[in-house]
Amino acid sequence: MSVVISNKEGAHDPEGETILRDLVHRSGFGDVKSIRAGKSLRIDVEAPDGKTAETLVRKMCDDLRIYNPAAHSLLVEAGRQPA
Amino acid sequence: MSVVISNKEGAHDPEGETILRDLVHRSGFGDVKSIRAGKSLRIDVEAPDGKTAETLVRKMCDDLRIYNPAAHSLLVEAGRQPA
């Protein structure tokens, strides 16, 4: 499974904003409109199907406080492989 | 676009390994087999189509050394919204 933890929409994201303003725009990439930074976790689980895997990963992220629900969005999806 | 920067397959990933061993397995989530940590960037660009957007984002990541091709894998995909 692919997990992305990012600051909630609407909240500030100082890391992404700094990359955008001080690196990307200064270097002339004006077509880039917004950057939101986050943490990615690729999690391989043993489960009979994708739905069970997703439920397990969500429970793990909740139980272990891998993210803070008050501050972060959690995106859980079927896994992808880097190229 | 959704960008994920992670350590190359085969290379060690101390962050993911520590989460797996010292947090996840100790807490009884034995069905979790592997965790790879990485950096996520959600990048909104102004482009006529997805292919152009992807090309622009890849060029930006290369030109600005947002990742190190010797050490990292870069995954670029159509963007997704956090739930």
Side-chain angles (χ1 to χ4, degrees), chain B residues 2-3 10 12 21 23-24 26 30 33 40 42-43 45 47 51 56 58 63 76-77 81-83:
Chain B
S2 159
V3 172
H12 270 295
R21 189 182 56 232
L23 179 62
V24 172
R26 270 196 203 176
K33 295 307 173 192
S40 147
R42 208 187 69 225
I43 303 179
V45 299
K51 185 69 198 152
L56 170 65
R58 284 192 183 276
D63 288 2
V76 180
E77 285 192 324
Q81 295 293 326

Side-chain angles (χ1 to χ4, degrees), chain A residues 21-52:
Chain A
R21 189 183 55 231
D22 294 342
L23 178 62
V24 172
H25 282 174
R26 268 195 206 178
S27 306
F29 288 89
D31 288 338
V32 179
K33 296 305 172 194
S34 126
I35 297 188
R36 302 283 292 180
K39 185 80 217 163
S40 147
L41 295 174
R42 209 187 68 225
I43 302 180
D44 295 335
V45 299
E46 217 161 71
D49 56 64
K51 185 69 197 153
T52 312

